[in-house]
Amino acid sequence: MSDTQTPDVPKGYVLRADGAMIKESRVQPIDLARTALVHQLAQQAKKVSADMVAFKLASMHSIDEFVNGSLTKYGVKATRGTKGNITLIAFDGQYKIEVQVADNITFDERLQAAKLLIDECVRELMKGANKELQKLITHAFESDKDGKISTSRVLGLRRIKIDHPKWAQAMDALTDSVTVVDSKRYIRIYERAQSGAYLPIPLDIAGV
């Protein structure tokens, strides 16, 4: 959450969206009331957001301490490089906590080698016979409006089984081109319903 700065507004004036100072007497009462309401709720929302960030950090710290304590009983210790998903379930089964790690990945220049090898493989093996596969491959390498390629679509090509040496080379190049930029941890907390199913406790305003 970024901090924003607003200029000092003289008494009897209000700030318009374009930065102009307008006399309060010239502003419609409904506009003043709307502005007051929006500012009030936005400030409350910023506090809730800050509280949620603090809750996540404190929760992750408590979970890490618990996991480390559990591992020490077996003579091992979690390292910084240790990663993976964790599920903690209360003894009474009432609540469940899941911690998941998601990697933010990108591709380096070797993706171009993979693309060229795939194109060669398709030309040599398919001879234009499998149009659907060609469309799938073309779609995988299409970029969005920001010029980014969908990592899930590209990596999904590895699930296609083709008995051709260039395809194997292409998949090797594709795998080697993957670079993990960073990892993000997510925490999700669930409560067991009467049906026995675990339902998430919403921690985002859209899910409430």
Side-chain angles (χ1 to χ4, degrees):
M1 183 172 54
S2 60
D3 294 329
T4 57
Q5 294 183 345
T6 55
D8 292 331
V9 181
K11 188 176 181 179
Y13 285 79
V14 293
L15 184 67
R16 200 167 59 189
D18 60 1
M21 299 289 184
I22 307 297
K23 282 187 177 182
E24 189 172 333
S25 59
R26 296 178 57 187
V27 181
Q28 293 289 336
I30 189 64
D31 292 330
L32 295 175
R34 185 190 307 108
T35 299
L37 174 63
V38 171
H39 274 259
Q40 176 189 349
L41 295 180
Q43 292 302 319
Q44 291 176 359
K46 289 172 67 176
K47 182 181 183 303
V48 171
S49 178
D51 290 342
M52 290 180 66
V53 171
F55 169 75
K56 178 182 178 181
L57 293 175
S59 299
M60 290 297 189
H61 178 71
S62 297
I63 291 171
D64 288 343
E65 283 195 332
F66 172 80
V67 171
N68 284 331
S70 180
L71 294 182
T72 55
K73 293 182 179 180
Y74 299 93
V76 295
K77 184 177 181 181
T79 62
R80 187 175 182 181
T82 303
K83 58 182 299 185
N85 300 331
I86 299 172
T87 299
L88 305 176
I89 302 178
F91 185 74
D92 61 6
Q94 186 64 29
Y95 298 101
K96 177 178 71 171
I97 296 177
E98 292 181 350
V99 177
Q100 297 178 326
V101 180
D103 290 334
N104 177 21
I105 66 174
T106 186
F107 301 103
D108 62 24
E109 75 287 345
R110 286 170 286 190
L111 181 64
Q112 298 303 316
K115 179 64 166 61
L116 291 173
L117 287 167
I118 289 173
D119 289 342
E120 291 179 17
C121 180
V122 171
R123 284 196 300 269
E124 294 177 12
L125 188 63
M126 300 306 166
K127 301 299 184 183
N130 196 327
K131 298 293 184 181
E132 291 303 316
L133 179 59
Q134 291 186 44
K135 288 181 181 179
L136 179 65
I137 293 172
T138 300
H139 181 60
F141 286 95
E142 287 179 349
S143 56
D144 59 19
K145 61 181 180 180
D146 297 321
K148 295 181 180 180
I149 294 176
S150 170
T151 55
S152 60
R153 288 203 303 261
V154 172
L155 293 178
L157 294 175
R158 296 186 298 184
R159 293 193 293 268
I160 301 175
K161 303 299 182 183
I162 296 178
D163 187 16
H164 192 285
K166 285 188 178 178
W167 184 265
Q169 279 184 284
M171 295 303 101
D172 287 342
L174 180 57
T175 300
D176 292 341
S177 71
V178 174
T179 300
V180 178
V181 179
D182 55 40
S183 295
K184 191 170 184 178
R185 301 175 75 193
Y186 296 89
I187 182 171
R188 294 178 175 86
I189 305 177
Y190 300 83
E191 184 175 18
R192 191 171 62 178
Q194 290 184 351
S195 64
Y198 281 100
L199 303 179
I201 298 175
L203 292 177
D204 63 291
I205 195 169
V208 175

